[in-house]
């Protein structure tokens, strides 16, 4: 099974997506997601100019060797652009191998370890009534776990607060939108939000919250302790991810479970956090962490320390990346939960999917390979549009973590 071509497809049905399309000499087509939210064209250039030419003529079955070739063969290793490109190749090769075997990809990863994957949805609102409406809407759609985000009094625009139906954080704008932040106001406001949510929806519903890296270690410790009475499933990205020692201080002060890693892209980012048990959930995406091959290594390492998966899965992960996450999550022993934001109708026409969401559980389906097919005709209708994630400033104008 020799690779004949590797084509990069960029499309923007509901948002920008970058897809690697690998074709073999026996006519099989494998797909990999290379979307890097707000920096998509950087990965396009890396794939098209540096990676794709090296794939032609290689044996598509040699997944591990190809992964090492792309990782170790480049002097400049790691980083989000490089690892997103490697991920796209890796997932496409796994897709091809499973298609050639005539079975869904998870079977090649050891088979299913469970019947379905618990998924959580995103609820948000500018006030408690709208937040409650958002939670009820997700529960009606079948979600059994909910991420809760809300506005803070006195702050006009906050990252992570969506509209009544859908939310896309990367705006199609010429420059990043500037949003507001004040940690003291947030720390005063948030515990009362979770108290109200628990009073309205009861103690059994798993609740999650994402801080988006905005707090200092001692602020995050204070928040984790304040939220302990409300039994969070996890508190996500409470401090800037680069400072791994910060999680040690947070851990010393709270028993609220901690999740981090959606901006990580290799096992080396996790080494201390896992070995010292400073986190409870690994938040990386297949798309940004070297593909199935590398994220599976990370999760196997985490499993030795009782740490579970919480694979990143908002709409900046294409249906190709989501399918890869589901196949991996179904197979690994230490699955925790899967993030899932539903894609828009136009995206669903570009990417034909076999995965399902039923009664709060996801499943990758039984189609050979990933179970996702790309319509080039539909993709061609939606050219790339410049888009940026927002940035945060404090009240005095200081640029802040978002």
């Amino acid at each position: 099974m020799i690779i004949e071509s590797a084509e990069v497809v960029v499309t923007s049905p509901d948002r920008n997506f970058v897809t690697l399309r690998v074709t073999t000499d026996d006519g099989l087509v494998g797909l990999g997601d290379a979307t890097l939210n707000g920096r998509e064209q950087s990965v396009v250039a890396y794939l098209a100019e540096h990676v794709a030419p090296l794939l032609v003529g290689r044996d598509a079955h040699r997944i591990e060797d190809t992964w090492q070739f792309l990782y170790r063969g480049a002097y400049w290793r790691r980083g989000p652009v490089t690892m997103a490109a490697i991920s796209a190749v890796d997932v496409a090769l796994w897709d091809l191998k499973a298609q050639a075997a005539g079975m869904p990809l998870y079977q090649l990863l050891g088979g299913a370890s469970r019947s379905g994957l618990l998924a959580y949805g995103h609820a948000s609102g500018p006030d408690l009534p709208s937040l409650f409406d958002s939670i009820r809407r997700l529960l009606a759609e079948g979600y059994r776990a909910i991420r809760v985000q809300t506005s803070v009094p006195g702050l006009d625009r906050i990252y992570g607060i969506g509209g009544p139906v859908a939310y896309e954080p990367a705006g199609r704008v010429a420059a990043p939108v500037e949003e507001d932040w004040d940690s003291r106001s947030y720390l005063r406001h948030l515990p009362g939000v979770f108290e109200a949510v628990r009073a309205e929806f009861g103690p059994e519903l798993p609740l999650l919250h994402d801080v988006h890296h905005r707090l200092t270690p001692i602020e995050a410790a204070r928040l984790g302790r304040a939220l302990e009475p409300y039994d969070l499933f996890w508190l996500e990205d409470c401090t800037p991810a680069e400072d791994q020692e910060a999680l040690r201080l947070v851990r010393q002060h709270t028993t609220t479970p901690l999740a981090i890693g959606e901006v990580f892209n290799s096992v080396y980012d996790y080494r201390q956090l896992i070995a010292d048990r400073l986190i409870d959930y690994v938040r990386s995406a297949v798309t940004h962490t070297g593909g199935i091959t590398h994220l599976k290594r990370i999760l196997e390492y985490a499993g030795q320390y009782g740490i579970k998966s919480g694979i990143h899965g908002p709409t900046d992960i294409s249906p190709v990346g989501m399918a890869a996450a589901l196949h991996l999550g179904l197979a690994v022993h230490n699955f925790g939960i899967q993030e899932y934001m539903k894609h828009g109708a136009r995206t669903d026409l570009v990417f034909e999917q076999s995965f399902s969401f039923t009664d709060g559980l996801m499943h990758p389906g039984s189609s050979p390979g990933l179970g996702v097919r790309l319509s080039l005709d539909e993709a061609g209708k939606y050219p790339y549009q410049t888009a940026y994630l927002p940035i945060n400033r404090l009240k005095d104008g200081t640029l802040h973590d978002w």
Side-chain angles (χ1 to χ4, degrees), residues 329-341:
L330 197 70
V332 296
H333 173 70
N334 55 324
F335 171 80
I337 200 168
Q338 174 63 54
E339 181 178 20
Y340 179 47
M341 291 176 67

Side-chain angles (χ1 to χ4, degrees), residues 54-394:
L54 301 177
L55 298 177
V56 176
R58 293 184 67 87
D59 183 352
H61 281 303
R62 297 183 63 175
I63 298 176
E64 178 68 25
D65 183 64
T66 299
W67 196 97
Q68 299 295 343
F69 172 73
L70 295 176
Y71 181 83
R72 300 184 186 281
Y75 184 81
W76 307 106
R77 298 180 183 178
R78 301 166 60 191
V81 173
T82 296
M83 297 303 281
I86 291 176
S87 173
V89 176
D90 183 78
V91 171
L93 296 187
W94 276 109
D95 188 14
L96 288 167
K97 185 181 283 287
Q99 288 182 55
M103 59 181 61
L105 197 157
Y106 70 84
Q107 295 288 13
L108 299 188
L109 302 176
S113 291
R114 55 199 48 83
S115 58
L117 307 172
L118 177 66
Y120 71 89
H122 292 193
S124 67
D127 50 36
L128 286 177
S130 58
L131 174 62
F132 288 179
D133 288 345
S134 181
I135 294 173
R136 292 189 187 100
R137 188 162 47 247
L138 289 174
L139 293 174
E141 292 177 12
Y143 283 96
R144 299 182 188 174
I146 308 291
R147 192 188 82 165
V148 173
Q149 309 292 131
T150 183
S151 297
V152 175
L155 301 182
D156 293 332
R157 294 172 296 181
I158 299 179
Y159 183 82
I161 309 302
V165 179
Y167 171 59
E168 175 50 61
R172 293 179 172 183
V173 290
V177 173
E178 296 192 2
E179 298 182 339
D180 308 313
W181 189 249
D182 181 70
S183 294
R184 286 173 57 83
S185 299
Y186 167 75
L187 290 170
R188 288 194 302 269
H189 181 65
L190 193 67
V193 171
F194 275 90
E195 180 181 24
V197 170
R198 277 289 178 226
E200 180 71 17
F201 295 96
E204 297 300 323
L205 179 64
L207 300 177
L208 306 86
H209 180 70
D210 190 348
V211 185
H212 294 114
H213 311 282
R214 292 165 170 152
L215 299 180
T216 66
I218 200 64
E219 288 171 341
R222 173 184 163 191
L223 178 62
R225 178 171 288 185
L227 294 177
E228 284 177 11
Y230 313 115
D231 187 26
L232 266 65
F233 188 96
W234 76 35
L235 182 66
E236 179 183 349
D237 289 343
C238 58
T239 57
E242 300 93 329
D243 183 4
Q244 307 219 354
E245 276 295 318
L247 276 298
R248 191 180 307 279
L249 187 147
V250 179
R251 193 64 129 184
Q252 290 170 351
H253 290 278
T254 181
T255 58
T256 295
L258 303 176
I260 204 165
E262 70 178 66
V263 299
F264 290 170
N265 50 68
S266 86
V267 70
Y268 302 105
D269 296 315
Y270 283 104
R271 185 165 53 187
Q272 177 183 354
L273 297 178
I274 290 174
D276 292 351
R277 292 184 168 91
L278 301 182
I279 59 174
D280 301 281
Y281 295 92
V282 166
R283 282 284 292 132
S284 284
V286 174
T287 300
H288 305 140
T289 319
I292 290 169
T293 296
H294 195 63
L295 186 52
K296 188 171 186 289
R297 290 195 189 104
I298 294 173
L299 293 178
E300 287 170 345
Y301 172 43
Q304 298 178 54
Y305 296 87
I307 296 168
K308 297 183 177 182
S309 72
I311 298 177
H312 186 58
T315 49
D316 63 355
I317 304 299
S318 85
V320 175
M322 176 57 67
L326 297 179
H327 283 280
L328 181 59
L330 197 70
V332 296
H333 173 70
N334 55 324
F335 171 80
I337 200 168
Q338 174 63 54
E339 181 178 20
Y340 179 47
M341 291 176 67
K342 296 180 180 180
H343 291 101
R346 289 180 295 189
T347 297
D348 290 341
L349 290 175
V350 172
F351 298 93
E352 179 187 342
Q353 308 148 33
S354 68
F355 61 78
S356 63
F357 173 72
T358 305
D359 193 24
L361 301 178
M362 302 193 74
H363 194 282
S366 57
S367 298
L370 280 175
V372 179
R373 298 293 175 264
L374 172 68
S375 170
L376 293 177
D377 289 340
E378 286 293 325
K381 297 177 182 179
Y382 307 107
Y384 170 82
Q385 297 186 41
T386 300
Y388 287 97
L389 288 165
I391 61 174
N392 267 335
R393 289 191 185 274
L394 304 180

